[in-house]
Amino acid sequence: MKGTAEKIPAIELRNITKTFASVVANEDINLTLYRGEILALLGENGSGKTTLMNILAGIYKPDSGSVLIDGEPVIIHSPEDANKHGIGMIHQHFKLVEVHSAADNIILGDKKIGMFLKASRHERIKELCNNYHLQVEPDKKVYNMSVSEKQTVEILKVLYRGADILILDEPTAVLTPQEADHLFDILRHMRDQGCAIIIITHKLDEVMSISDRVTILHKGKSVATVNTAETNAHELTELMVGKAVELSIQRPPVSHEGNLLEIHHLSVQNEEGVDTLRDVSFDLNHGEILGVAGLAGSGQKELCETIAGLLKPHKGAVLYKNENIIGKTPAEIIKIGISMSFVPEDRLGMGLAASMSLADNLLLKSYKNGKGPFLERKGARALADSLVERLEIVTPDIDTPVRRLSGGNVQKVLLGREIESNPNVLITAYPVRGLDINSSYTIYDAINQQKEKGVGILFIGEDLDVMLELCDRIMVLCHGRITGIVDAKETTKEKLGLMMADATIKEMEGAK
């Protein structure tokens, strides 16, 4: 960014330190954010990014160090204090009331409006939309909105409260490529209007595309701040990880033949009788990675849970060696010879027992196989030690409850346990969500190792660039139905994005 030396920083963090018991989350961190710039914040899982942003957002108070806004020292005790200083944080998981309209969500909690809603709120929202090139229907209910519309409402919420310093946490995690491009256009316009923006993302292509500068954290310390135009993805990765990392995903050729699973006309309804899967049919082959792409809520969760025996479909069949497994429990599915591993998107809700140790969570998969009344923990502890080393799980020891681990390390425990059970079918939903670049490539390697063993892998993902490199075929779901199954080597991210948005054939032809 040109001319920053003459400008007063919108935010300046000086020697920020924050500890939790014996864990040092932030150590003497320095960070500067100027008005009219977009600063990317990079770092491995556990590097201190979230803690640092929570200090700015008023959720944590630093043990030492100072925060300056427009050159003046401030103390931020609470999120309300952060709002008063013009700081707004847009979280990855939206905090909206589904049954309320866009306008009501935008003004919700704003103490300046008093007890009663004012008709003028629509005029203020319209003014903000015009100023920042945003589009929203004020009276539209949130439950009728697309993901990108909900994100626009979240942005308007902080702008309505006067924020001109914005923090966005993984803002493109659930967006199509087209929606991500539109968001970046909005952010660039906000930058040009003088806003100061911090974006946290693990996607290096986004960092290179949207940011002006990049601050890198490593093990709780700020190790460098670089101009984006003067760096590249490899240099950023090396600064972030502390060593050189090969940024390429291998795609071993499919060396096994034959169908492993056949899904025929699968339909699933929710409790209200609404179809969440509609007449879904496809095959999963031996030694194949079949990617499943789609916007959040397009039926991915229901597909995984139905194949794993956790949901009963309205109609359809799932065949394994010509035997229909629909109606069988997960235990019965295992008994007929299907060694199936299911890695759900809800890691602690469905995948692991939060209060149990890493070692005991590994036992959950195999304890019923014991021959006596007592649990045999020796093997589980040995496996836990092996996984900690192989997957680089950051934990004080294998007896630590998994709820105390970071989200990325929880994911490693869950995936490691499922892989070690030697499955024939591996169903994995968002296996690298929240993982840093180094950890993500470790997981990709582990998945490819299973592929080479002949395992059929159903890979639910959200990063289309990764899916295009890793998967053999990609199936796209939209509103519970398949809009296409394509060869990953012969398609593009733009075409996948159009299928995710249920584009017409004409639009698809235009994307060639």
Side-chain angles (χ1 to χ4, degrees):
M1 196 176 104
K2 296 179 180 179
T4 55
E6 297 82 19
K7 294 185 179 182
I8 297 175
I11 285 181
E12 192 172 2
L13 303 181
R14 295 180 179 174
N15 306 114
I16 296 292
T17 295
K18 179 65 180 177
T19 61
F20 299 94
S22 60
V23 178
V24 181
N26 295 149
E27 183 178 351
D28 288 325
I29 286 185
N30 292 287
L31 179 146
T32 302
L33 173 68
Y34 294 95
R35 296 196 181 279
E37 82 160 339
I38 298 174
L39 176 73
L41 188 61
L42 278 179
E44 290 184 280
N45 299 119
S47 62
K49 303 187 301 295
T50 300
T51 300
L52 192 65
M53 291 303 99
N54 281 338
I55 288 172
L56 269 182
I59 297 171
Y60 296 145
K61 186 177 179 181
D63 299 331
S64 61
S66 56
V67 178
L68 285 75
I69 297 180
D70 293 327
E72 297 295 327
V74 299
I75 298 176
I76 303 174
H77 289 290
S78 65
E80 187 175 354
D81 282 346
N83 286 335
K84 289 177 181 177
H85 289 296
I87 300 171
M89 186 163 180
I90 298 151
H91 299 270
Q92 180 178 349
H93 302 290
F94 304 142
K95 301 179 183 300
L96 301 173
V97 182
E98 293 279 323
V99 296
H100 284 356
S101 68
D104 291 345
N105 268 280
I106 290 166
I107 67 168
L108 197 62
D110 186 359
K111 296 181 179 180
K112 292 182 289 186
I113 65 169
M115 294 179 61
F116 303 101
L117 299 180
K118 297 179 180 178
S120 61
R121 71 188 189 280
H122 282 208
E123 292 303 316
R124 175 59 180 151
I125 292 170
K126 184 177 179 181
E127 180 185 344
L128 289 170
C129 287
N130 290 335
N131 287 345
Y132 295 105
H133 292 185
L134 299 169
Q135 293 181 344
V136 72
E137 298 177 38
D139 293 321
K140 190 173 184 177
K141 301 293 186 184
V142 170
Y143 60 75
N144 286 325
M145 293 182 182
S146 67
V147 176
S148 61
E149 286 177 308
K150 291 178 182 179
Q151 190 171 64
T152 301
V153 174
E154 287 282 13
I155 293 172
L156 281 166
K157 275 173 60 178
V158 298
L159 293 175
Y160 191 89
R161 287 158 179 73
D164 54 9
I165 301 169
L166 279 73
I167 304 166
L168 294 95
D169 186 10
E170 299 286 351
T172 65
V174 291
L175 300 182
T176 67
Q178 289 83 359
E179 289 171 330
D181 289 342
H182 178 63
L183 172 65
F184 289 166
D185 287 340
I186 291 171
L187 295 182
R188 291 185 185 103
H189 185 73
M190 295 176 73
R191 174 191 61 191
D192 295 342
Q193 295 293 310
C195 288
I197 300 169
I198 296 177
I199 179 172
I200 304 170
T201 177
H202 288 112
K203 300 177 182 179
L204 293 178
D205 59 328
E206 293 184 353
V207 172
M208 299 303 297
S209 169
I210 189 65
S211 67
D212 298 297
R213 294 186 303 132
V214 187
T215 291
I216 301 100
L217 304 187
H218 181 63
K219 295 183 178 179
K221 298 179 180 179
S222 51
V223 295
T225 295
V226 297
N227 293 322
T228 307
E230 299 171 0
T231 189
N232 56 61
H234 285 276
E235 182 183 4
L236 291 175
T237 302
E238 191 167 342
L239 286 168
M240 183 170 56
V241 178
K243 61 181 181 181
V245 176
E246 179 60 38
L247 296 179
S248 63
I249 301 175
Q250 301 302 314
R251 179 162 45 202
V254 178
S255 57
H256 302 266
E257 295 183 357
N259 292 343
L260 187 60
L261 281 182
E262 298 178 23
I263 287 77
H264 295 280
H265 306 291
L266 199 64
S267 293
V268 176
Q269 294 182 340
N270 61 19
E271 294 177 354
E272 288 76 33
V274 177
D275 287 335
T276 53
L277 283 179
R278 307 177 186 183
D279 198 35
V280 168
S281 298
F282 64 93
D283 297 331
L284 176 64
N285 301 315
H286 288 276
E288 171 189 53
I289 301 178
L290 175 62
V292 182
L295 296 176
S298 292
Q300 302 96 315
K301 181 174 183 287
E302 290 79 7
L303 178 63
C304 291
E305 293 182 5
T306 303
I307 296 175
L310 301 175
L311 269 183
K312 187 176 181 180
H314 177 61
K315 65 177 183 178
V318 176
L319 303 183
Y320 176 78
K321 293 182 178 179
N322 295 321
E323 182 172 359
N324 190 5
I325 65 174
I326 292 298
K328 299 183 185 298
T329 66
E332 290 170 338
I333 290 173
I334 292 172
K335 282 183 180 179
I336 65 173
I338 302 178
S339 180
M340 182 183 295
S341 288
F342 175 39
V343 183
E345 58 182 309
D346 184 359
R347 300 161 182 164
L348 290 178
M350 292 181 65
L352 299 170
S355 61
M356 292 174 63
S357 70
L358 191 160
D360 284 349
N361 266 284
L362 297 180
L363 274 171
L364 291 177
K365 190 79 175 179
S366 59
Y367 76 94
K368 290 183 180 180
N369 299 330
K371 297 181 180 179
F374 302 104
L375 288 177
E376 173 52 57
R377 283 192 164 87
K378 185 177 179 180
R381 295 183 68 82
L383 176 58
D385 284 328
S386 172
L387 288 179
V388 166
E389 181 178 355
R390 184 151 50 90
L391 299 181
E392 300 179 356
I393 299 171
V394 179
T395 177
D397 53 56
I398 62 172
D399 294 312
T400 299
V402 295
R403 60 180 167 80
R404 294 185 182 175
L405 305 182
S406 71
N409 286 297
V410 168
Q411 183 74 343
K412 292 180 188 179
V413 173
L414 178 55
L415 188 65
R417 183 189 72 188
E418 296 305 303
I419 285 176
E420 287 298 325
S421 67
N422 294 317
N424 296 326
V425 177
L426 177 62
I427 303 172
T428 174
Y430 312 108
V432 298
R433 177 178 282 174
L435 294 186
D436 58 68
I437 190 77
N438 190 40
S439 299
S440 296
Y441 279 81
T442 300
I443 297 302
Y444 301 146
D445 288 343
I447 289 173
N448 270 327
Q449 288 170 12
Q450 295 302 302
K451 172 186 174 178
E452 291 178 315
K453 292 179 181 179
V455 176
I457 300 162
L458 198 66
F459 182 95
I460 317 296
E462 56 196 1
D463 189 326
L464 296 184
D465 290 305
V466 167
M467 295 183 76
L468 287 168
E469 288 189 68
L470 179 69
C471 299
D472 300 294
R473 293 186 298 150
I474 300 175
M475 177 174 73
V476 180
L477 290 177
C478 181
H479 302 304
R481 63 183 181 85
I482 295 175
T483 56
I485 301 177
V486 295
D487 187 322
K489 296 188 294 294
E490 297 178 0
T491 192
T492 65
K493 187 165 67 171
E494 289 71 27
K495 289 181 181 179
L496 292 175
L498 289 171
M499 285 191 283
M500 288 166 64
D502 199 15
T504 65
I505 296 296
K506 185 175 180 181
E507 289 172 313
M508 290 290 296
E509 291 295 325
K512 288 184 178 179

